[in-house]
Amino acid sequence: EPEVTQTPSHQVTQMGQEVILRCVPISNHLYFYWYRQILGQKVEFLVSFYNNEISEKSEIFDDQFSVERPDGSNFTLKIRSTKLEDSAMYFCASSEGLVSYEQYFGPGTRLTVT
Amino acid sequence: AQSVTQLGSHVSVSEGALVLLRCNYSSSVPPYLFWYVQYPNQGLQLLLKYTTGATLVKGINGFEAEFKKSETSFHLTKPSAHMSDAAEYFCAVSEAGRRALTFGSGTRLQVQP
């Protein structure tokens, strides 16, 4: 069964460093998403991406964040200058198309900023 | 703005007993509603969804949920709990036509033998 994959499973970085989290969405899906979950808090929407551009973003998704689909399979989230409060589990998700709202999630990347 | 409330951060049931996990939402427009399950060290797996049509929806693993507009609720039920149902369950909502999901804080289900 097709699934969303994410790498790495755990990333440790120092404050101020740039990190790139990688995701491979399900191959025929057209919408891609990033969510995060800070330990003990709710899962929060960051951004959705369709047709090579951002379609929605939350107020969390400020200028330090960016997303990219560098090739036909990967979808990345970049955090330019990490802060301690960026420590969280980051989930990638994808959904099929214009009429399907079902989002399929990857296993997550745990980001620890020290 | 939307919000989702899940009553009970922890629910414990005996194996074979009814499972009832509560979800209430607030939304200014008709929502799309979802339940996800998360097993330890895994991602979120879609259990079921309501978008339009029949208000009682059936999902995987014997779960079902009923959309009650008058109560702004979307409670998740399963007639008979199984040990393998132990996991964290998340209710989520999106506004019709939008993609962003707003999640509840989750309910951890324990199933006692």
Side-chain angles (χ1 to χ4, degrees):
Chain A
E1 186 176 322
E3 59 183 19
V4 177
T5 59
Q6 291 184 243
T7 54
S9 56
H10 192 189
Q11 172 99 39
V12 181
T13 190
Q14 289 191 326
M15 197 167 51
Q17 295 297 303
E18 175 184 285
V19 294
I20 297 176
L21 308 183
R22 290 182 168 81
C23 168
V24 179
I26 295 173
S27 63
N28 63 336
H29 284 189
L30 301 178
Y31 277 89
F32 315 114
Y33 313 84
W34 284 101
Y35 291 81
R36 78 173 185 190
Q37 185 178 29
I38 296 171
L39 190 63
Q41 298 186 24
K42 294 183 180 184
V43 177
E44 301 172 290
F45 169 77
L46 294 178
V47 65
S48 64
F49 191 85
Y50 171 73
N51 201 24
N52 284 318
E53 60 184 27
I54 291 173
S55 53
E56 289 179 71
K57 62 180 181 178
S58 71
E59 54 273 16
I60 302 168
F61 193 86
D62 60 22
D63 290 345
Q64 71 157 344
F65 291 95
S66 62
V67 289
E68 192 179 28
R69 188 153 164 83
D71 53 43
S73 58
N74 290 283
F75 179 53
T76 62
L77 174 68
K78 182 192 290 186
I79 309 174
R80 287 193 182 79
S81 177
T82 51
K83 304 171 191 161
L84 293 176
E85 53 266 35
D86 293 327
S87 295
M89 181 73 89
Y90 288 81
F91 293 105
C92 175
S94 67
S95 60
E96 194 168 3
L98 291 174
V99 296
S100 171
Y101 286 79
E102 301 173 24
Q103 296 182 25
Y104 295 85
F105 283 75
T109 292
R110 181 163 296 286
L111 176 65
T112 302
V113 182
T114 62
Chain B
Q2 301 165 105
S3 67
V4 179
T5 303
Q6 291 185 240
L7 283 176
S9 58
H10 288 82
V11 170
S12 183
V13 300
S14 299
E15 193 173 18
L18 171 72
V19 175
L20 170 61
L21 305 182
R22 298 178 188 276
C23 173
N24 289 87
Y25 68 90
S26 67
S27 176
S28 56
V29 297
Y32 293 164
L33 297 156
F34 306 84
W35 275 99
Y36 283 86
V37 60
Q38 186 178 33
Y39 299 100
N41 300 317
Q42 293 188 28
L44 299 163
Q45 181 183 7
L46 181 66
L47 270 181
L48 49 77
K49 71 179 190 295
Y50 169 79
T51 53
T52 58
T55 56
L56 180 64
V57 292
K58 296 185 186 299
I60 61 171
N61 302 337
F63 285 93
E64 61 183 39
E66 186 171 11
F67 169 55
K68 291 188 177 180
K69 185 178 177 182
S70 61
E71 298 176 10
T72 61
S73 70
F74 191 58
H75 302 330
L76 182 71
T77 59
K78 181 174 180 177
S80 176
H82 192 272
M83 297 295 290
S84 61
D85 295 326
E88 187 145 24
Y89 292 79
F90 294 91
C91 181
V93 60
S94 68
E95 286 185 12
R98 291 190 62 213
R99 300 277 167 169
L101 291 175
T102 299
F103 281 85
S105 52
T107 297
R108 185 165 298 279
L109 176 67
Q110 278 186 309
V111 182
Q112 309 287 351

